[in-house]
């Protein structure tokens, strides 16, 4: 243990809470099966976990450890940190990144149904073995004690290798919505293209006619839904057999299309089996949904038993759950089917100065609602009125900002307001947030990023954004029957989920000890939310909440800016860049192609 803890002690940026958390877990290792750690940005959670796993491998030489993270960028970060620890403590690390590492390129489907999963010697003769990333991944896994996995694709994998005895979940608050991993959506068009089975199609049509009628959603009776899934599984199994027989009898005639079809059939069979083999299938909900804009009809089958799903995917061993926003740890433990008494909960405060990152709830804020057209009109007028001074503030001070909207409609409203105030806006349509975020962060384009999607997972360090505006509490769409059902099963889900989203949002603009910026919240619903679910709020966040007027907020921001300007002599360079970003696009393009743009962004002598 001493050799490992020394990694923390010699670390140049060692912080007291790193040592505290590490020692607390280490001392309680044998008493608890799982550890829930709320560790804010900058608390060095990766180093804490790296020390713990190094120590674990010292005492469990045959141990296998999985690091489960939701995003690829987290995988890269973990890999770079763990390689250093691995070199020092003699363990190897495998990085399984992207779908390719989990997919068989022959059938283009999960590793668990690849031909070599059923017949291992097949891998030696497989025509794709030379370029099979799955085989490479398996080799890596076999010789590595630590595997860094992307948990959104983990569900497809039965890697056929040893199961982990210790799992580390980074960004563990995402487990609150683990059930979405096993949601199955069957569209009418998919069904028609895969089966052409008149009986199944007739069931679909009948539901549309008798239940859905003119509505957007209709719930299907549980038994009817289960009968349909059993019938469909039978039809698909016959289809699978038929394609397989064709392939066996005429292997030279195998086309890419038939392989793709086989892939879709087997994937659907696997997904349906997962649902109906669940002993708690009484927990399933079936919804028929019509999307008028796309002209589509689909059946969504959603299990709600998160504990069952978790135990199926991640059985046994020790678990370490880490996030800046674990929220109510006992609630999460219960949700995952654990006995809260067998878990240890650790909450750390932030190492950053709280005065540099206030979370301002405007004193003028009233409870906003968009439940009907009148309320929506009032809400939008209120937001426009109170957001106006902050748009002006950004423009006047040449600062950049972020607006996290609760819907695309609200995003459009904010976009209009920002443009009217002379700000260059970066925004996006549904499913296109990556491009907008890259453009705002990497290319440093625009003055303000307006998005309904990036409430977490982006880092707006320093000058990238100083203001984060949240016009409205991001309640989920309450008319969605899946949300309604989840709220019914987990009464605390709604408030807990919303508060975690808000805390994550505040974390977007506090990324390092020198960083500063403020979040401004316009919706008075936050008052009752925070009082109702105090246990979902992290100590580092509670520290930062303040309720002041619009005028006081404007003064506070200008004071913070002045303090920052005094301590940053190179301020001129960023102003030049902002001036450049405010030019007309044609002028900017001309400057860029002529090479003069670089001159404009050089700091003043
Ligand atoms: S060796 Fe690779 S490509 Fe071949 S069947 Fe197995 S997973 Fe698929």
């Amino acid at each position: 243990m001493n050799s490992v803890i020394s990694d923390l002690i010699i670390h140049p940026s060692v912080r007291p809470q790193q040592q505290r958390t590490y020692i607390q877990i280490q001392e309680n290792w044998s008493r608890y099966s799982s550890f829930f750690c709320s560790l804010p940005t900058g608390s060095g959670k990766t180093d804490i976990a790296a020390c713990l796993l190094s120590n674990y491998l010292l005492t469990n030489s045959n141990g296998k450890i999985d690091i489960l993270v939701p995003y690829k960028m987290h995988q890269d970060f973990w890999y770079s940190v763990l390689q250093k620890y691995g070199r020092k403590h003699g363990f190897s690390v495998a990085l399984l990144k992207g779908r390719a590492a989990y997919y068989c390129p022959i059938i283009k489907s999960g590793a668990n149904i690849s031909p070599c999963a059923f017949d291992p010697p097949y891998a030696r003769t497989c025509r794709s073995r030379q370029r099979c990333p799955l085989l490479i991944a398996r080799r890596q896994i076999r010789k590595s004690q630590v595997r860094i996995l992307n948990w959104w694709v983990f569900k497809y994998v039965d890697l056929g290798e040893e199961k982990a005895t210790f799992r580390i979940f980074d960004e563990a608050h995402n487990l609150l919505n683990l059930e979405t991993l096993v949601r199955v959506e069957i569209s009418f068009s998919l069904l028609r293209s895969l089966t052409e089975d008149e009986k199944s199609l007739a069931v679909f049509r009948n539901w549309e006619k008798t239940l859905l009628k003119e509505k957007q959603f209709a719930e299907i009776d549980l038994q009817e839904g289960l009968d349909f899934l059993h019938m469909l599984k039978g039809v698909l199994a016959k289809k699978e057999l038929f394609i397989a027989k064709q392939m066996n009898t005429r292997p030279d005639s195998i086309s890419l299309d038939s392989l793709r079809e086989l892939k879709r059939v087997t994937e659907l069979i696997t997904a349906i089996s997962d649902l109906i083999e669940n002993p708690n299938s009484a927990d399933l909900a079936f919804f028929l949904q019509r999307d008028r804009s796309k002209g589509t009809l689909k059946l969504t089958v959603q299990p709600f038993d998160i504990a069952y799903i978790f135990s199926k995917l991640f059985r046994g061993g020790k678990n370490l759950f880490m996030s800046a926003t674990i929220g109510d740890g006992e609630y999460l433990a219960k949700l995952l089917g654990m006995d809260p008494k067998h878990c240890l909960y650790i909450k750390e405060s932030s190492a950053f100065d709280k005065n540099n990152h206030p979370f301002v709830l405007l004193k003028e804020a009233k409870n906003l609602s968009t439940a009907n057209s009148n309320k929506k009109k009032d809400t939008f007028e209120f937001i426009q009125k109170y957001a106006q001074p902050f748009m002006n503030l950004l423009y006047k001070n040449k600062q950049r900002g972020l607006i996290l909207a609760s819907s695309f409609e609200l995003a459009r409203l904010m976009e209009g307001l920002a443009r009217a105030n002379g700000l260059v806006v970066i925004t996006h349509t549904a499913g296109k947030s990556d491009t907008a975020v890259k453009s705002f962060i990497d290319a440093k384009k625009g003055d303000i990023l307006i998005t309904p999607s990036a409430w977490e997972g982006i880092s707006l360090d320093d000058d990238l954004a100083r203001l984060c505006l949240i016009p409205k509490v991001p309640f989920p769409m309450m008319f969605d029957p899946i949300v309604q059902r989840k709220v019914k099963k987990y009464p605390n889900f709604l408030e807990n989920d919303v508060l975690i989203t808000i805390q994550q949002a505040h974390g977007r603009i506090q990324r390092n000890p020198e960083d500063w910026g403020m979040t401004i919240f316009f919706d008075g619903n936050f008052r009752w939310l925070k009082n109702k679910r105090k246990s979902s709020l992290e100590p580092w966040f509670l520290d930062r909440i303040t309720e002041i007027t619009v005028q006081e907020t404007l003064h506070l921001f200008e004071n913070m800016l002045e303090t920052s300007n005094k301590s940053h002599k190179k301020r001129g360079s960023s102003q030049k860049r902002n001036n450049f970003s405010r030019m007309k696009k044609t002028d900017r393009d001309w400057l860029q192609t002529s090479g003069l743009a670089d001159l404009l962004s050089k700091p003043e002598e």
Side-chain angles (χ1 to χ4, degrees):
M1 172 172 156
N2 285 342
S3 68
V4 182
I5 201 167
S6 68
D7 280 334
L8 280 178
I9 292 164
I10 58 164
H11 198 280
S13 58
V14 65
R15 297 174 201 102
Q17 67 261 50
Q18 277 181 303
Q19 290 188 43
R20 216 166 37 223
T21 307
Y22 174 79
I23 292 167
Q24 219 178 330
I25 295 175
Q26 204 63 65
E27 284 179 351
N28 288 287
W29 187 255
S30 53
R31 288 178 57 201
Y32 297 98
S33 59
S34 295
F35 302 84
F36 290 80
C37 302
S38 294
L39 300 166
T41 308
S43 54
K45 61 183 159 119
T46 317
D47 277 310
I48 296 169
C51 284
L52 282 166
L53 72 84
S54 305
N55 196 59
Y56 179 82
L57 290 173
L58 280 180
T59 46
N60 300 274
S61 52
N62 293 325
K64 291 274 182 187
I65 298 172
D66 282 348
I67 314 282
L68 292 122
V69 297
Y71 305 113
K72 280 186 197 171
M73 63 176 181
H74 292 132
Q75 285 185 285
D76 286 333
F77 181 65
W78 273 93
Y79 191 56
S80 67
V81 173
L82 289 184
Q83 271 186 315
K84 278 185 253 156
Y85 280 83
R87 274 195 293 273
K88 183 163 179 189
H89 300 291
F91 61 80
S92 52
V93 186
L95 175 66
L96 272 81
K97 214 171 146 191
R99 285 167 75 97
Y102 305 83
Y103 269 60
C104 163
I106 284 209
I107 57 160
K108 292 195 167 44
S109 189
N112 52 338
I113 54 169
S114 67
C116 65
F118 299 110
D119 179 16
Y122 179 90
R124 283 197 289 274
T125 49
C126 173
R127 62 189 157 95
S128 293
R129 68 185 184 283
Q130 300 297 354
R131 54 186 174 82
C132 173
L134 191 62
L135 277 188
I136 299 167
R138 280 199 173 130
R139 271 198 291 274
Q140 273 184 298
I141 281 182
R142 222 167 289 141
K143 61 180 190 194
S144 304
Q145 288 152 296
V146 180
R147 299 88 68 102
I148 304 173
L149 309 175
N150 181 326
W151 75 19
W152 298 122
V153 281
F154 186 76
K155 70 158 182 153
Y156 296 110
V157 188
D158 176 1
L159 290 162
E161 308 302 331
E162 287 167 83
K163 289 252 184 259
T165 46
F166 176 25
R167 275 174 299 268
I168 298 172
F169 294 86
D170 194 9
E171 304 296 329
H173 59 278
N174 285 288
L175 290 167
L176 288 163
N177 293 307
L178 183 67
E179 83 286 356
T180 55
L181 261 182
V182 276
R183 174 181 298 170
V184 173
E185 294 184 340
I186 306 167
S187 69
F188 185 77
S189 55
L190 174 76
L191 198 61
R192 195 167 45 195
S193 70
L194 284 188
T195 70
E196 292 156 14
D197 176 55
E198 271 313 315
K199 216 170 151 195
S200 323
L201 293 170
V203 174
F204 235 78
R205 283 197 198 98
N206 183 43
W207 282 338
E208 184 186 15
K209 209 166 109 193
T210 57
L211 297 173
L212 198 58
K213 297 174 189 165
E214 290 308 306
K215 292 180 289 187
Q216 193 183 349
F217 295 100
E219 182 160 4
I220 312 286
D221 171 72
L222 173 68
Q223 197 49 52
E224 259 189 71
L226 281 172
D227 290 347
F228 174 73
L229 286 189
H230 281 287
M231 177 177 77
L232 183 58
K233 192 183 164 195
V235 172
L236 290 168
K238 275 189 201 152
K239 177 86 182 185
E240 187 186 38
L241 195 66
F242 174 74
I243 302 173
K245 266 187 189 162
Q246 262 193 335
M247 286 179 168
N248 279 334
T249 48
R250 293 167 49 214
D252 49 331
S253 69
I254 297 172
S255 69
L256 204 56
D257 282 346
S258 46
L259 285 171
R260 284 200 182 118
E261 193 179 15
L262 180 64
K263 173 214 156 196
R264 289 192 296 169
V265 169
T266 44
E267 270 184 354
L268 196 50
I269 292 175
T270 311
I272 292 174
S273 305
D274 275 355
L275 292 175
I276 54 184
E277 280 163 19
N278 179 344
N280 197 7
S281 56
D283 190 56
L284 291 180
F286 295 77
F287 298 102
L288 198 64
Q289 184 184 356
R290 179 187 288 123
D291 186 333
R292 285 205 175 84
S293 61
K294 293 183 194 155
T296 55
L297 186 67
K298 72 174 177 194
L299 174 70
T300 301
V301 190
Q302 176 69 67
F304 287 94
D305 192 344
I306 296 176
Y308 171 76
I309 300 164
F310 184 82
S311 66
K312 188 166 177 284
L313 291 175
F314 311 111
R315 209 169 288 133
K318 296 262 182 193
N319 297 302
L320 171 64
F321 301 92
M322 299 194 305
S323 168
T325 54
I326 287 284
D328 185 344
E330 288 198 17
Y331 169 70
L332 181 55
K334 269 193 227 157
L335 202 74
L336 299 177
M338 296 172 179
D339 183 343
K341 290 199 294 292
H342 295 153
C343 306
L344 182 68
Y345 311 94
I346 298 171
K347 283 188 181 288
E348 280 297 350
S349 53
S350 173
F352 303 162
D353 182 352
K354 65 178 182 182
N355 297 315
N356 286 342
H357 304 100
F359 179 91
V360 175
L361 171 65
L362 294 178
K363 254 201 178 127
E364 293 85 347
K366 59 179 190 179
N367 292 3
L368 302 179
S369 166
T370 51
N372 59 44
S373 53
N374 284 341
K375 285 183 178 172
K376 192 198 275 184
K377 187 170 167 278
D378 283 353
T379 291
F380 280 19
E381 280 172 6
F382 175 89
I383 291 171
Q384 268 187 310
K385 178 179 168 192
Y386 287 99
Q388 165 63 37
F390 299 106
M391 301 286 184
N392 190 30
L393 183 77
L394 284 176
Y395 182 77
K396 196 174 78 183
N397 292 293
K398 299 182 174 65
Q399 295 297 313
R400 301 177 95 216
L402 166 71
I403 297 181
L404 293 168
S406 52
S407 67
F408 279 102
E409 196 179 359
L410 188 51
R412 296 290 80 83
L413 179 89
M414 301 309 284
E415 183 186 351
L417 189 64
R419 288 194 200 283
N421 278 276
L423 296 169
V424 178
V425 175
I426 301 292
T427 187
H428 60 90
T429 48
K432 298 277 189 317
S433 64
D434 281 0
T435 319
V437 166
K438 263 193 190 142
S439 162
F440 189 73
I441 295 179
D442 300 340
K444 294 196 172 70
K445 285 187 182 161
D447 301 313
I448 194 155
L449 172 65
I450 303 178
T451 170
S453 315
W455 289 75
E456 62 175 286
I458 59 168
S459 290
L460 294 170
D461 300 59
D462 306 317
D463 281 347
L464 285 177
R466 295 297 187 192
L467 264 192
C468 170
L469 305 184
I470 305 182
K472 198 175 165 306
V473 172
F475 286 120
M477 288 190 292
M478 289 310 295
F479 61 83
D480 183 336
I482 293 178
V483 174
Q484 287 171 5
R485 179 64 76 88
K486 190 162 177 186
V487 172
K488 204 166 152 198
K489 184 168 173 79
Y490 304 106
N492 291 330
F493 152 71
L494 192 78
E495 289 94 5
N496 189 62
D497 202 58
V498 163
L499 286 172
I500 284 185
T501 306
I502 293 170
Q503 292 172 90
Q504 277 289 329
H506 186 47
R508 298 313 93 216
I509 55 163
Q510 43 178 320
R511 311 306 303 171
N512 62 67
E514 281 76 42
D515 202 358
W516 68 270
M518 65 164 70
T519 299
I520 302 170
F521 209 84
F522 295 69
D523 189 346
N525 283 305
F526 181 72
R527 290 187 192 98
W528 65 261
L529 265 171
K530 82 172 164 47
N531 292 335
K532 191 170 173 194
R533 286 289 300 168
K534 269 234 158 65
S535 55
S536 298
L537 297 174
E538 302 294 347
W540 66 263
F541 181 72
L542 275 167
D543 264 3
R544 285 155 168 74
I545 302 173
T546 176
E547 192 166 344
I548 51 178
T549 64
V550 171
Q551 279 313 313
E552 287 166 338
T553 311
L554 293 169
H555 285 143
L556 178 61
F557 185 84
E558 285 186 331
N559 284 343
M560 289 169 82
L561 181 60
E562 201 182 314
T563 313
S564 162
N565 282 345
K566 278 183 193 156
S567 59
H568 289 87
K569 291 179 187 148
K570 289 183 182 168
R571 178 89 196 117
S573 64
S574 64
Q575 284 182 348
K576 290 269 183 198
R577 263 201 304 278
N578 282 330
N579 285 337
F580 175 69
S581 73
R582 283 201 177 83
M583 287 178 174
K584 275 191 206 156
K585 188 174 181 305
T586 44
D587 293 345
R588 285 204 307 265
D589 289 347
W590 178 80
L591 279 165
Q592 246 150 3
T593 47
S594 64
L596 294 172
D598 286 350
L599 291 175
L600 282 182
S601 60
K602 279 202 175 143
E604 284 174 349
E605 292 299 315

